[in-house]
């Protein structure tokens, strides 16, 4: 839990839990719900993204519990301060026991006394059992009041080197609930309640459904601030800006529009508005958001908020790619159906999105501006070196299937050369880290590996370097558009014409000239069965003249937008030497067909 920052000049607090009595604390529905459940002795858990008010709520509820019932004491165990990765299991069990023993509300014994009591067991009693013995002997038997134990920063439980330790501790909490007997007033376990607080998913705890406490506890959801809840903030705005209630409320409405009611951002934006308006009373909320929050957000992210979201979203490379894809879908569509999958839960825990009436939606406009589509694509590219090639390849595969094409242009998107080698090494490490690729993604990498190996095998006897081979592939794709059969012809032309004598930067011009200016080489491409079949469609047809007239415009690079209702358009689209570009204009597939089906050929056909 980070320390909160209260600005005496503006009156607003942001970052960390608000202390009891803070005038800007906002009561939400969750406050009364949590108080009611804990008062009744229900086990509860609050699992939300960071900086949504969990710690502030816990501080407030501890205070309210004591005021409501003097016979209720609270103990807070902040796991983030226990250094779980650095201490062993016994040390951890001792430390949480110490947190209870020395709690100001209970004052059971000093650290020195506990240390002696603990060590008297020797090695005969396991660490967790010693903790249980302490609870039963001192907390449940000697105290005549109810005790609520808050386990804060519960995600730290996953820092144990042995997952069995986490399971054992959760099983213990569940067992405390199972030992209760509501009808027996003398049962000490009726006076013990746990509240688990953290930034993690209940699904993470359920390795063993029989031991987790999360299917016996009451979930408490922290919803965004709503305008009718934030009177303390409106009042503070009015005091600091010396504005009437109505003006302060309207200002608050704009602030919540930008923050979506996100607690941290709402407090911070209130602070920034007050600060800016003290020097310029006419500063708008939008101006402050753009200048002080969104623009150069990395340097203005104090205390850290956006970087926390970014880290949460990207911290696991094996899963981050899926999260980004899921988030991109929400960005593009505004919302998607919430299906309670692990990926969706993790995305909500990042804080970027909210579950709302069965839909996952963006939390607020500020996040949308900072974590926009450009940011998504940049981060995806960092995670997958090949993301641009893969997405283009995948689009082509779908296009090919949708349009039932008989030819294959996938090779223009396949990986080869140094990049292919790097990606294959990355894939080995990714698999070792238990990463999971999409089936199509794995297929793409497999095909790329096979393609690159085939090219290297073809040129292996020439002893040319891989850089030159990369230039040959790039030049071939530029000539053929990635057409598999034509690429093989180009590769063999290169192999048979002393490509070994060329420098890497000389390959493209040399190969293009060799293919397009040599009639005998051009004849090799005319032998392609599909090409001859489609070319002949221009002849001896009732609409041959219309077809060739339209083709002439395409050959002259005149933009011809494809019209599904036009029969000539449909016939041309189905020919192997015509393709639709990104704007859905009809165009010639590649430079080789442009050369073969040039103006001289068109005039010949027109004359016929």
């Amino acid at each position: 839990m980070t320390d909160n920052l209260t600005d005496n000049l503006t009156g607003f607090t942001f970052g960390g839990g608000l202390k009891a009595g803070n005038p800007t604390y906002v009561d939400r529905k969750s406050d009364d719900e949590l108080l009611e459940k804990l008062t009744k002795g229900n086990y509860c858990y609050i699992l939300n993204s960071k900086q949504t008010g969990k710690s502030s709520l816990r501080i407030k509820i501890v205070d309210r519990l004591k005021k409501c019932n003097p016979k209720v004491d609270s103990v807070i165990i902040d796991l983030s301060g226990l250094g779980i990765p650095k201490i062993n299991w016994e040390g951890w069990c001792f430390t949480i026991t110490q947190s209870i023993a020395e709690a100001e509300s209970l004052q059971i014994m000093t650290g020195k006394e506990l240390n002696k009591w603990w060590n008297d067991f020797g090695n005969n009693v396991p660490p967790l059992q010693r903790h249980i013995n302490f609870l039963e002997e001192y907390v449940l038997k000697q105290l005549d009041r109810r005790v609520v134990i808050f386990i804060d920063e519960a995600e730290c439980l996953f820092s144990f080197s042995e997952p069995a330790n986490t399971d054992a501790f959760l099983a213990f909490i569940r067992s405390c609930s199972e030992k209760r007997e509501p009808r027996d007033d003398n049962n000490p376990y009726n006076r013990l309640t746990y509240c688990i607080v953290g930034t993690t998913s209940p699904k993470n705890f359920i390795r063993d459904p029989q031991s987790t406490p999360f299917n016996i506890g009451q979930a408490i959801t922290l919803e965004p601030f709503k305008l009718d809840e934030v009177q303390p903030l409106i009042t503070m705005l009015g005091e600091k800006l010396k504005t009437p209630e109505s003006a302060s409320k309207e200002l608050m409405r704009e602030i919540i529009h930008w923050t979506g009611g996100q607690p941290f951002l709402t407090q911070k934006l209130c602070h920034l508005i007050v600060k800016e308006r003290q020097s310029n009373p006419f500063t708008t909320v939008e101006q402050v958001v753009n200048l002080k929050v969104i623009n150069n957000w990395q340097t203005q992210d104090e205390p850290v908020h956006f970087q926390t979201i970014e880290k949460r979203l990207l911290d696991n490379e094996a899963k981050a790619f899926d999260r980004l894809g899921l988030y991109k879908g929400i960005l593009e569509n505004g919302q998607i159906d919430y299906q309670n999958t692990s990926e969706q839960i993790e995305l909500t825990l990042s804080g970027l999105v909210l579950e709302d009436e069965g839909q996952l939606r963006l939390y607020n406009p500020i996040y949308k501006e900072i974590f926009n589509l450009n940011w998504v694509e940049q981060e995806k590219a960092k995670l997958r070196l090949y993301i641009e090639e893969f997405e283009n390849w995948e689009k082509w595969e779908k296009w090919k299937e949708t349009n039932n094409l008989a030819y294959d242009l996938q090779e223009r998107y396949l990986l080869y050369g140094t990049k292919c080698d790097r990606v294959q090494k990355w894939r080995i490490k990714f698999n070792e880290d238990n990463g999971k690729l999409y089936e199509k993604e794995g297929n793409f990498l497999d095909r790329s590996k096979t393609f690159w190996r085939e090219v290297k095998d073809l040129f292996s006897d020439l002893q040319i370097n891989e850089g030159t081979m990369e230039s040959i592939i790039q030049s071939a794709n530029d000539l053929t558009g990635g057409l598999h059969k034509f690429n093989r012809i180009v590769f063999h032309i290169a192999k048979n014409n002393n490509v070994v004598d060329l420098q890497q930067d000389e390959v493209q011009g040399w190969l293009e000239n060799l293919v397009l200016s040599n009639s005998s080489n051009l004849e090799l491409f005319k032998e392609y069965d599909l090409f001859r079949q489609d070319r002949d469609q221009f002849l001896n047809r009732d609409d041959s003249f219309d077809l060739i007239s339209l083709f002439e415009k395409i050959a002259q690079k005149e933009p011809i937008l494809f019209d599904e209702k036009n029969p000539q358009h449909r016939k041309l689209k189905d020919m192997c030497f015509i393709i639709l570009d990104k704007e859905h204009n009809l165009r010639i597939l590649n430079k080789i067909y442009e050369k073969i089906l040039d103006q001289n050929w068109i005039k010949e056909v027109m004359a016929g």
Side-chain angles (χ1 to χ4, degrees), residues 475-488:
S475 303
N477 279 329
D478 186 52
L479 284 166
T480 70
L483 189 60
H484 172 87
K485 289 183 178 293
F486 279 20
N487 269 350
R488 297 308 171 280

Side-chain angles (χ1 to χ4, degrees), residues 31-260:
D31 288 60
D32 291 337
E33 184 182 6
L34 181 59
L35 181 65
E36 177 193 354
K37 299 299 180 185
L38 292 179
T39 301
K40 289 180 178 179
N42 296 128
Y43 282 36
C44 297
Y45 58 91
I46 312 166
L47 302 178
N48 262 72
S49 56
K50 287 188 176 296
Q51 297 175 317
T52 52
K54 297 187 299 298
S55 295
S56 298
L57 173 60
R58 189 253 298 151
I59 294 168
K60 179 82 170 184
I61 292 300
V62 167
D63 187 55
R64 288 182 69 183
L65 278 170
K66 191 65 179 176
K67 289 177 179 177
C68 291
N69 189 342
K71 285 208 164 191
V72 177
D73 281 320
S74 302
V75 176
I76 298 166
I77 301 176
D78 184 355
L79 298 187
S80 66
L82 301 189
I84 291 176
K86 298 178 182 178
I87 61 176
N88 59 25
W89 176 233
E90 180 178 350
W92 187 81
C93 288
F94 174 81
T95 305
I96 62 169
T97 307
Q98 186 178 29
S99 299
I100 299 171
E102 296 181 343
E104 186 177 346
S105 57
L106 302 182
Q107 296 183 337
I108 295 172
M109 62 174 69
T110 65
K112 185 176 181 181
E113 291 169 334
L114 175 67
N115 197 54
K116 181 180 183 308
W117 178 88
W118 184 274
N119 291 328
D120 283 345
F121 286 102
N123 295 322
N124 297 324
V125 180
L128 184 57
Q129 185 59 52
R130 291 185 229 178
H131 175 72
I132 295 170
N133 290 352
F134 173 82
L135 287 175
E136 292 182 339
E137 184 175 341
Y138 291 97
V139 177
L140 299 181
K141 288 184 180 179
Q142 294 189 19
L143 299 180
D144 61 349
R145 52 195 183 271
R146 177 174 292 161
V147 176
V148 180
I149 298 178
F150 290 85
I151 307 291
D152 206 356
E153 305 288 343
E155 63 273 15
C156 295
L157 284 167
F158 298 104
S159 300
F160 285 125
S161 57
E162 293 292 334
N165 294 334
T166 301
D167 294 340
F169 184 68
L170 294 173
F172 152 67
I173 292 178
R174 183 187 177 95
S175 72
C176 292
S177 173
E178 291 172 341
K179 289 176 183 176
R180 290 176 158 202
E181 295 179 16
R183 297 180 182 178
D184 182 359
D185 294 337
N186 296 319
N187 187 317
Y189 277 95
N190 293 346
R191 293 185 282 105
L192 181 63
T193 303
Y194 281 88
C195 181
I196 298 177
V197 185
T199 306
T200 190
S201 163
K203 289 190 174 185
N204 292 338
F205 290 98
I206 308 177
R207 279 193 288 265
D208 179 1
Q210 301 305 313
S211 67
T212 177
F214 289 97
N215 52 12
I216 59 170
Q218 175 70 44
I220 304 296
T221 302
L222 301 186
E223 296 182 351
F225 289 167
K226 297 178 176 60
L227 188 62
D228 59 2
E229 296 174 332
V230 293
Q231 188 57 46
L233 303 183
I234 294 172
T235 300
M236 185 64 74
L237 282 173
E239 288 178 7
K240 296 298 180 178
L241 295 175
K242 297 180 172 52
T243 53
E245 173 91 2
S246 58
S248 300
K249 187 171 184 179
E250 193 54 40
L251 184 61
M252 195 70 228
R253 189 188 307 276
E254 287 186 65
I255 290 171
I256 285 184
H257 160 73
W258 281 102
T259 68

